[in-house]
């Protein structure tokens, strides 16, 4: 079992799926992360504060830095691994937006070692949507959470109008736990769907 003390001392482990590597987010990743989050379509489901995209991006990146340093959240960079360079090169040639190896990030937010709970979140750059990568990454994070961190329950949240994210969670056997209504006088902010999976369900 990996503990907070062990992760503070040795850092996050590297995780691998069929196509990508998940590794600890580094300082040099932040410029690429800022670029990813500056895309209005990428950040639209991440937070709904009534601020310009640049302001929302800067706020989110600052939150990621603070929570990463304290290990209140475990943030992994998502990138192609070396055995998948052919696909990486192919996508780079066909997408001008692909200017860095960072595909996105995936995180265990609000990690509570005592209660064994965490909230799973992920963001992928737009050129990599619709390729099954999010399903792959979420599956590996569930495996890491339950097998290495010995979590008892993992939650994930998505906006009710984010059908793609909803499908990713359902494919990974997460179940809709509850709906959180968002108060907004204009009525344009959708509700938040809370999905959950327990260690017993995963096993």
């Amino acid at each position: 079992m990996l503990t907070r003390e062990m992760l503070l001392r040795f850092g996050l482990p590297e995780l691998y799926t069929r196509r990508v590597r998940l590794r600890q987010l580094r300082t040099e990743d932040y410029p690429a992360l800022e670029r990813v989050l500056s895309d209005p379509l990428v950040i639209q489901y991440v937070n709904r504060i009534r601020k310009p995209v640049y302001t929302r991006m800067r706020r989110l990146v600052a939150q990621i830095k603070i929570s990463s340093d304290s290990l209140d959240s475990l943030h992994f960079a998502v990138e192609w691994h070396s055995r998948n360079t052919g696909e990486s090169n192919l996508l780079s040639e066909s997408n001008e937006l692909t200017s860095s190896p960072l595909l996105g990030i995936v995180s265990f937010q609000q990690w509570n070692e005592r209660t064994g709970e965490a909230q799973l979140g992920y963001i992928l750059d737009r050129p990599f949507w619709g390729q099954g990568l999010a399903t792959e990454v979420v599956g590996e994070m569930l495996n890491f959470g339950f097998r290495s961190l010995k979590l008892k329950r993992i939650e994930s949240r998505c906006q009710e109008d984010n059908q793609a994210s909803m499908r990713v969670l359902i494919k990974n056997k997460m179940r809709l736990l509850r709906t959180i209504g968002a108060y907004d006088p204009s009525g344009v902010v959708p509700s938040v769907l809370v999905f959950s999976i327990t260690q017993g369900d995963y096993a």
Side-chain angles (χ1 to χ4, degrees):
M1 174 180 174
L2 291 176
T3 64
R4 184 182 300 271
E5 182 179 346
M6 293 168 65
L7 295 179
L8 283 169
R9 183 175 180 183
F10 300 110
L12 301 183
E14 290 189 352
L15 310 175
Y16 289 87
T17 73
R18 181 174 63 87
R19 294 180 287 177
V20 300
R21 175 175 73 154
L22 312 181
R23 57 154 176 83
Q24 185 161 345
L25 195 66
R26 304 172 185 145
T27 302
E28 57 266 30
D29 295 318
Y30 284 109
L33 182 59
E34 290 179 355
R35 179 190 58 78
V36 171
L37 294 174
S38 293
D39 185 332
L41 293 181
V42 172
I43 203 172
Q44 66 174 324
Y45 295 120
V46 180
N47 59 39
R48 292 296 179 96
I49 60 174
R50 294 180 178 277
K51 299 290 184 180
V53 170
Y54 179 80
T55 302
R56 295 164 63 190
M57 178 274 290
R58 296 298 299 171
R59 176 175 173 177
L60 182 56
V61 170
Q63 291 172 342
I64 290 172
K65 287 181 179 179
I66 293 170
S67 61
S68 183
D69 291 343
S70 64
L71 280 190
D72 288 332
S73 297
L74 308 180
H75 298 291
F76 290 84
V78 181
E79 63 184 14
W80 301 117
H81 60 61
S82 58
R83 289 168 290 180
N84 199 46
T85 53
E87 187 167 359
S88 175
N89 291 336
L90 178 62
L91 285 171
S92 295
E93 292 172 1
S94 61
N95 290 286
E96 292 182 0
L97 292 176
T98 308
S99 59
S100 80
L102 186 75
L103 310 184
I105 64 169
V106 60
S107 313
F108 276 137
Q109 302 155 7
Q110 303 173 24
W111 174 39
N112 190 319
E113 188 176 13
R114 181 180 58 82
T115 63
E117 296 179 320
Q119 184 172 305
L120 175 62
Y122 60 91
I123 303 167
L124 289 181
D125 199 1
R126 186 152 45 108
F128 309 109
W129 292 1
Q131 301 174 33
L133 287 174
T135 301
E136 204 171 299
V137 167
V138 167
E140 180 57 30
M141 285 293 284
L142 293 179
N143 181 65
F144 171 65
F146 288 125
R147 297 185 185 278
S148 298
L149 298 179
K150 302 301 181 184
L151 295 177
K152 297 177 182 177
R153 186 166 68 91
I154 297 172
E155 278 191 4
S156 189
R157 303 184 178 198
C158 70
Q159 308 287 344
E160 64 178 350
D161 57 342
N162 189 351
Q163 296 294 316
S165 188
M166 195 184 309
R167 287 193 295 270
V168 167
L169 302 179
I170 292 173
K171 285 179 182 178
N172 278 287
K173 311 303 181 186
M174 300 189 77
R175 299 177 182 178
L176 180 62
L177 183 65
R178 63 185 184 276
T179 300
I180 302 175
Y183 172 75
D184 179 41
S186 68
V188 298
V189 177
S191 298
V192 174
L193 306 180
V194 181
F195 286 80
S196 176
I197 185 170
T198 66
Q199 189 178 59
D201 291 336
Y202 184 79

